[in-house]
Amino acid sequence: MTSEPTSELSDQTLLDMQRRMIRIRRFDERASKMVKRGQIPGTVHTSIGQEAQVVGACMALGEHDYMTGNHRSHGHPIGKGAPLGPLMAELVGKSGGVCQGKGGSLHLSNFAVGSLGESGIVGGSFPIAVGAGLSSKVLDNGRVALAFFGDGAANQGNLYEGMNMSGVWKLPVIFLCENNQYALSTPAHTVTSGVIAERAPGFGMPGVRVENGQEVLSVYAAVSTAVERARRGEGPSLVEVVTYRFNEHSEGLRMAKDYRNAEEKAMWLSRDPIVLFRTWLVDNGVASEDDLDKMDAEVREEVEESVRFTDASPLPDPSRAFADLYTEPFGPTHSEHGRGVGLDSPIGHPTTGAIR
Ligand SMILES: Cc1ncc(C[n+]2csc(CCOP(=O)(O)OP(=O)(O)O)c2C)c(N)n1
Ligand SMILES: [Mg+2]
């Protein structure tokens, strides 16, 4: 792992990075088994193989920052430090889940850690992230919003609407492309013109491509730079992280043919982010092999505890099906601001003050 940057992070933070990556791995492995046994309805899309990209980005964010995800987003709240029990309960559809069982694997949000929502619609969460960035700017609360999206979503038009609006208003938004090189079975290079990160300057923002996206510290460094820029009020950034998913697009999915050849898979499996960082931690004297084995055992137990939590949680009460789904359209938030939120904001229209 020679290209890994030297880290000035505390040992505690470095170990926390490894623990969060292992949490994602073990949680998703367990969820995969549960899908195959029919214990989780539908399917799950795992982040196995992509843990460095997820944790490096999430840990560069602060506690109060926002993020949005897509269909592959259990790992994001875990990367931001969420406890596993309510996440597992959500996947199973139990009332103890982060959305009381109403979101499931594909549409979970976890407001406690700033996770504003996944979307099963590819590219569906850009407007939410841009809206969160706009709210941060209007409220001047210093919060950053990060939108995770895939290489497939990188070709959806609303990404560019969101990048343009964020650039014009210098919103504190980070567009983070999880380039795992495939959208389902479609190789990114067959549908993507040019380099995704190189699209950023067209919108007046920096774009950086993290080639070694299996190395958590490299991702952390790149996203930290974008976070600092956003907090200084300089606006959005695009970060493209090159990574690879080790499992199938979704668990239990049988693709018609093997669209990824054995050599490619073997090369990427040898770049396992958890193994790479384990070696780095040992080589740099942060932890011993025994310490890291113990960490793994603790996480396995934590995952089993999340399953026990799920088993003990009741199914949702059908009478609550529509609870918490809607807000009052003209409630106090609107009337407090008279003609609408943001009329006196620094980014409103120069003469009317209205955001158009
Ligand atoms: C608008 C829309 N089109 C198609 C789909 C079907 N679909 C679900 S996931 C996916 C691939 C997405 O690939 P990518 O954005 O690279 O994310 P990854 O799965 O690789 O993490 C597709 C085409 C969808 N859910 N929404
Ligand atoms: Mg992809």
Side-chain angles (χ1 to χ4, degrees):
M1 205 170 182
T2 47
S3 60
E4 188 77 64
T6 313
S7 176
E8 290 172 3
L9 297 171
S10 69
D11 285 3
Q12 180 67 39
T13 303
L14 294 167
L15 291 171
D16 201 17
M17 281 177 163
Q18 180 73 345
R19 185 178 290 272
R20 291 186 195 196
M21 290 202 290
I22 298 173
R23 271 198 187 125
I24 294 172
R25 174 75 52 98
R26 303 293 171 232
F27 181 92
D28 271 353
E29 284 173 348
R30 191 69 165 87
S32 169
K33 272 191 200 152
M34 290 167 71
V35 165
K36 287 166 190 161
R37 291 177 189 155
Q39 294 164 325
I40 290 176
T43 186
V44 294
H45 303 72
T46 73
S47 294
I48 294 174
Q50 301 185 207
E51 294 92 346
Q53 163 257 300
V54 174
V55 171
C58 288
M59 287 190 66
L61 295 174
E63 192 187 345
H64 298 292
D65 290 330
Y66 301 116
M67 61 188 187
T68 61
N70 58 5
H71 50 283
R72 194 179 303 288
S73 287
H74 323 133
H76 301 147
I78 299 174
K80 202 121 180 303
L84 303 185
L87 285 172
M88 191 61 92
E90 188 59 38
L91 267 51
V92 175
K94 293 294 192 77
S95 60
V98 282
C99 303
Q100 296 158 40
K102 296 177 195 176
S105 160
L106 271 168
H107 293 102
L108 64 79
S109 50
N110 194 344
F111 296 150
V113 292
S115 167
L116 300 181
E118 305 178 3
S119 174
I121 306 298
V122 169
S125 56
F126 298 121
I128 300 169
V130 174
L134 175 58
S135 81
S136 297
K137 179 127 186 173
V138 170
L139 300 171
D140 194 21
N141 61 18
R143 295 181 178 184
V144 167
L146 183 148
F148 286 104
F149 63 99
D151 45 281
N155 294 321
Q156 292 286 63
N158 66 350
L159 169 60
Y160 302 103
E161 295 177 39
M163 286 172 68
N164 184 58
M165 185 181 276
S166 305
V168 168
W169 287 339
K170 295 207 181 315
L171 302 183
V173 181
I174 296 160
F175 297 92
L176 192 136
C177 180
E178 312 181 292
N179 187 350
N180 60 12
Q181 305 172 60
Y182 290 86
L184 269 161
S185 57
T186 304
H189 70 88
T190 64
V191 292
T192 309
S193 183
V195 175
I196 293 166
E198 290 176 7
R199 296 174 181 181
F203 293 90
M205 68 180 78
V208 55
R209 184 171 152 102
V210 183
E211 297 285 355
N212 43 359
Q214 301 305 83
E215 297 182 351
V216 65
L217 293 177
S218 301
V219 181
Y220 178 86
V223 180
S224 296
T225 302
V227 169
E228 284 158 21
R229 171 182 151 83
R231 289 213 210 285
R232 287 195 303 269
E234 292 171 21
S237 302
L238 171 63
V239 181
E240 176 187 0
V241 182
V242 182
T243 181
Y244 201 77
R245 64 170 156 72
F246 288 177
N247 283 13
E248 194 37 272
H249 171 77
S250 60
E251 296 309 291
L253 182 70
R254 294 212 183 103
M255 303 297 290
K257 62 185 168 76
D258 196 355
Y259 53 89
R260 305 192 294 184
N261 72 48
E263 275 168 32
E264 176 188 293
K265 273 197 217 163
M267 192 284 280
W268 281 98
L269 284 170
S270 74
R271 304 275 303 146
D272 182 323
I274 293 174
V275 175
L276 291 176
F277 199 48
R278 180 184 171 107
T279 307
W280 188 93
L281 290 169
V282 173
D283 288 353
N284 286 275
V286 179
S288 68
E289 298 277 1
D290 284 352
D291 295 336
L292 295 168
D293 287 345
K294 188 164 164 269
M295 179 187 284
D296 196 22
E298 285 166 2
V299 172
R300 284 176 191 276
E301 176 48 28
E302 201 184 335
V303 171
E304 290 315 307
E305 178 54 35
S306 79
V307 177
R308 289 193 286 274
F309 173 90
T310 300
D311 289 344
S313 173
L315 286 166
D317 179 346
S319 72
R320 299 270 307 153
F322 294 101
D324 304 319
L325 295 190
Y326 303 101
T327 187
E328 288 295 321
F330 300 106
T333 311
H334 185 89
S335 53
E336 266 169 22
H337 288 267
R339 291 165 298 153
V341 175
L343 294 184
D344 53 357
S345 83
I347 54 171
H349 185 272
T351 49
T352 65
I355 294 174
R356 301 191 297 177

